Amino acid sequence: MKILFLGDIVGKSGCKVVENHLFEIIEKDRINFVIANGENSADQGVGITKEIVNFLISKGVDVITTGNHVWDQKETLSFIEDEERLLRPENLISPSPGKGFNIYNKDNLRIGVLNLMGNVFMKKCNDVFEASTSFLKK
């Protein structure tokens, strides 16, 4: 199995690179599953919108992760609960809408994706190491 993880897709230019190259990379390298960090993909370079989520999925991204900019586009609060392919950090301060973990089925494979956010110089989330240990115990 080959998993491709794309770091921050930033603004229009980052989305354009995905549009122009992702399908080619998936085919050439026989990628089975694509995870992309999309928290900065909105036109302004911060946050993500429903339109961009749909765009990235249509271009070959299977799951979109986020981080400290997840709520920078206020509309995200209204659709993240229903969008299974958009993950917020699991270790955000509770309660937070959406999911930080999900299992996806693709090509007869089950792939679990856990989204955790580091917290050096950030107080928006619980300790990443404690959160991951707690999650694994569940």
Side-chain angles (χ1 to χ4, degrees):
M1 166 185 281
K2 288 187 177 182
I3 297 174
L4 173 64
F5 185 86
L6 302 173
D8 278 10
I9 297 170
V10 180
K12 288 180 182 181
S13 60
C15 288
K16 193 69 172 168
V17 170
V18 169
E19 180 177 36
N20 291 338
H21 300 287
L22 185 55
F23 280 132
E24 176 185 328
I25 293 168
I26 290 169
E27 187 174 303
K28 178 179 142 273
D29 294 325
R30 297 180 176 180
I31 303 296
N32 302 97
F33 198 78
V34 178
I35 304 167
N37 184 279
E39 68 169 319
N40 294 309
S41 58
D43 291 349
Q44 305 87 338
V46 291
I48 191 165
T49 65
K50 185 165 185 61
E51 179 181 355
I52 294 171
V53 168
N54 292 335
F55 169 81
L56 292 174
I57 298 296
S58 76
K59 299 303 175 192
V61 174
D62 295 296
V63 178
I64 302 165
T65 61
T66 59
N68 63 314
H69 292 288
V70 63
W71 312 126
D72 286 359
Q73 299 297 315
K74 299 304 176 208
E75 73 175 73
T76 306
L77 289 165
S78 67
F79 72 86
I80 196 167
E81 283 287 341
D82 299 320
E83 182 48 73
E84 298 283 322
R85 298 160 299 179
L86 178 64
L87 296 178
R88 56 130 170 104
E90 174 73 18
N91 58 327
L92 282 181
I93 306 292
S94 293
S96 294
K99 293 181 179 180
F101 170 78
N102 206 357
I103 296 175
Y104 303 91
N105 297 301
K106 185 173 181 193
D107 301 332
N108 296 318
L109 300 168
R110 288 174 44 88
I111 302 153
V113 179
L114 173 62
N115 185 27
L116 292 167
M117 180 170 65
N119 48 359
V120 175
F121 307 117
M122 287 191 271
K123 299 297 181 200
K124 293 183 177 185
C125 63
N126 295 319
D127 182 89
V128 67
F129 299 107
E130 291 174 13
S132 61
T133 301
S134 174
F135 179 83
L136 289 172
K137 286 180 181 177
K138 286 192 247 177

